[in-house]
Amino acid sequence: MSNPQRHTYQPSQLSAGDFPVVMDTGVIAAGQNLKRGAVLGQVTASKEYLLCKVAAEDGSEVPTAILDQDVDATGGATNAPIRLTGQVLASQLHLGEGLSLAVAKAALRPLCIFIR
């Protein structure tokens, strides 16, 4: 008699607690290959998301969301799940150039994204 294959639940490593997670779909701007946990900023004019970089001057310099899956948008803008609220592990985040963890924490806290 063979053993049936067992599947076990493996919680998301990005999540860091039981605070409610609110997800949405965001458009990831073309030209990026981002990992899950990327801290995103939103371009004011296009409403597309970019990896948040401090030197940006298009609105994306302000952290606004966390990418919830790996996304390859090098061939064009693509839809992807983003976290708008919840608790995330700092060790799983990917920060853009010049963005510190302290700045990301402070900017995301009022949006109910808590970094632990």
Side-chain angles (χ1 to χ4, degrees):
M1 189 147 122
S2 64
N3 290 334
Q5 187 175 19
R6 299 185 90 166
H7 296 281
T8 58
Y9 171 72
Q10 296 202 354
S12 168
Q13 291 183 359
L14 186 57
S15 292
D18 58 1
F19 191 85
V21 174
V22 174
M23 302 284 290
D24 199 358
T25 300
V27 178
I28 307 303
Q32 304 178 94
N33 188 4
L34 301 175
K35 295 291 185 190
R36 181 177 192 219
V39 177
L40 303 173
Q42 191 174 38
V43 177
T44 304
S46 69
K47 303 299 181 201
E48 293 180 336
Y49 289 91
L50 291 169
L51 181 63
C52 184
K53 297 178 183 173
V54 172
E57 295 181 357
D58 57 5
S60 68
E61 67 275 12
V62 178
T64 57
I66 307 290
L67 184 63
D68 201 59
Q69 73 178 29
D70 293 353
V71 172
D72 184 352
T74 54
T78 188
N79 290 328
I82 57 172
R83 290 179 183 231
L84 300 178
T85 68
Q87 293 183 51
V88 295
L89 293 170
S91 63
Q92 299 301 309
L93 297 181
H94 301 280
L95 305 173
E97 188 176 317
L99 182 63
S100 70
L101 189 57
V103 168
K105 277 184 177 184
L108 293 170
R109 188 175 304 122
L111 302 176
C112 292
I113 298 176
F114 302 99
I115 299 172
R116 293 181 44 196

